[in-house]
Amino acid sequence: MSKGTKVPGYMQGKGSRNPRGIIGDREIRYKCSLQNTILDVLRGRPGWQEVPGQNNVQQNVQTNAKQQGQQSTGQPSTNTGKAGSGTTSTQGTTSGNKGSDGDWDFYWCDREWLAQNYDTMFLYEHQKILHFRNHYELTRKNLMVKNLKRLKKQTEREQGKAEGLSFEFFPTTYELPSEYHIFVEEFKKNPGIIWIMKPAARAQGRGIFLFRRLKDITDWKKGEYQPLSDPNREVPETYVVQRYIENPYLIGGRKFDVRVYVLVVSYNPLKVWLYRSGFARFSNTRFSLDSIEDTYVHLTNVAVQKNAPDYDPDKGCKWSTQQLRKYLAAKHGVEAVKKAFKGIDNIIIKSLQSVQKIIINDKHCFEMYGYDVLFDSDLKPWLIEINASPSLTASGKEDYDLKFGLLNDLLNVLDLENRLTGKEKRVGGWDLLWEDGPILADDGNMECTPNGTTASIPNSFLGCHNDRKRQLRELYTAAQSIKKS
């Protein structure tokens, strides 16, 4: 192969180079298809330069209504802070990376653009791009459960039923219309319980409803699961039906779930980072099972709650994960909370392992997931869904600061500037949770570790103090000294 020959990114060898050269002392050139906090982060990063071109938001910003309505991974696009006026996206019309439009080192693209262009793209050694090709294996609700069920069965077969209990973190789930008859059998075994219906590929709470009676879902009853005899007949939308968690943990009488940020930089080997900060999203109305049709009671999505008649946009319905952890520790003790948050670690690793052999691993790709986790009244965590495009649009100043730090630290982990040693266990607010096996902590955190002991504890500090700026200063000073020596 000649020196100038381009090959697809996922077939890339170390010998291929961009004519512009590997990133060294030159500026880092980036593209971004969103106009919100991530664009602020990229534009404010020293030594980074925005690439002009057709796919860039500054020249061709358009609201992608279809993405907002049908994506399986999005979250609300409310914004009162410094970020843009909503999540906007541009759809590229050129593939590959040649010309000024593709002369980039880093691209924060949207999922639609990647789906249209990945298979015909040519990536150089040093280029980084958001999303793995088939990320939907984990972020579509039906595929997520399918893959988890498969790994659970494999684990029970190879390691026994007891080990399979570690997968008991997602509710009983069926896909409709394909598993309608199986669902009906389960439904009749448990009369009177509540089920929740969710579109497999929509976001922001759209299309979700609760029910107790089979007649409420008659659209999936007849013929929908059989081959279509009429070629013009519209294919029914895929839904998942789950057993509703009727005993959620309540604070102030209100239901909430927790948004957890997870960064995967490789699936082979699996390398996972967990961000210390996140937030709990509360419903605006006190919880009750008497009115299952009231979405303000049962759905915590900000896109839903902001439409409540008594919603206060200044206060919102959020707590920081640090605030939540302190509250739970004060009420239940440090050990109980430690066990609950360890359950979140288990959810993260098991879910990623369920797709580890399926995801098309590409060293150019990375993924930042938004996990949604619900605690029940026993402080057991349940996986609700996983988002491949968690909202980066801020709902207020605190939310903006959290997301700005989150994204800045993500770029620090990716380290396009080559300032780190590659052996770090913590970078800003990101803690290395897994690298082809569990990572143990080097130093403890007094808020999260009893008596400051660190022996054999996982390198997981979700909800702990996030002194990211001080840590980064010390980290870069130490890394520079190591490199000099």
Side-chain angles (χ1 to χ4, degrees), residues 195-297:
W195 296 82
I196 184 168
M197 286 280 285
K198 303 177 182 179
R202 286 201 243 173
Q204 299 183 344
R206 291 186 177 92
I208 297 179
F209 63 92
L210 280 62
F211 67 96
R212 282 193 176 99
R213 302 171 300 180
L214 274 179
K215 67 179 184 179
D216 294 332
I217 57 166
T218 52
D219 290 347
W220 289 268
K221 186 172 182 180
K222 295 181 180 179
E224 302 285 21
Y225 51 88
Q226 296 176 354
L228 302 179
S229 56
D230 181 1
N232 296 320
R233 180 182 171 191
E234 185 177 349
V235 177
E237 182 178 3
T238 301
Y239 271 67
V240 294
V241 57
Q242 292 181 326
R243 185 164 179 168
Y244 185 63
I245 298 172
E246 299 183 20
N247 64 325
Y249 190 96
L250 304 178
I251 296 180
R254 289 170 171 79
K255 178 181 175 181
F256 68 92
D257 67 4
V258 186
R259 166 58 55 84
V260 179
Y261 293 103
V262 175
L263 171 63
V264 177
V265 295
S266 170
Y267 270 97
N268 185 24
L270 183 61
K271 188 171 184 179
V272 185
W273 296 79
L274 173 63
Y275 201 65
R276 294 190 172 201
S277 299
F279 51 85
R281 304 177 301 183
F282 287 81
S283 63
N284 199 58
T285 307
R286 294 176 68 87
F287 183 79
S288 170
L289 293 177
D290 295 335
S291 53
I292 63 173
E293 71 283 350
D294 190 342
T295 56
Y296 300 135
V297 172

Side-chain angles (χ1 to χ4, degrees), residues 333-363:
V334 172
E335 286 302 320
V337 176
K338 185 177 175 182
K339 179 181 177 182
F341 277 66
K342 187 177 179 180
I344 295 179
D345 294 346
N346 178 64
I347 287 174
I348 293 168
I349 298 305
K350 289 289 196 300
S351 60
L352 294 172
Q353 288 176 332
S354 75
V355 296
Q356 186 177 5
K357 295 181 179 179
I358 301 173
I359 295 291
I360 301 171
N361 191 61
D362 186 336
K363 65 184 179 182

Side-chain angles (χ1 to χ4, degrees), residues 276 424-428 430-431 466-468 471 475:
R276 294 190 172 201
E424 290 78 10
K425 291 185 179 180
R426 181 186 175 192
V427 179
W430 290 100
D431 295 296
N466 188 5
D467 54 340
R468 51 177 297 274
Q471 196 274 341
L475 178 69

Side-chain angles (χ1 to χ4, degrees), residues 144-160:
M144 178 191 79
V145 173
K146 173 185 174 183
N147 288 317
L148 281 169
K149 286 181 177 179
R150 184 184 63 249
L151 182 59
K152 180 183 178 181
K153 288 181 180 178
Q154 179 184 335
T155 301
E156 290 175 339
R157 186 169 59 250
E158 296 175 356
Q159 303 178 41

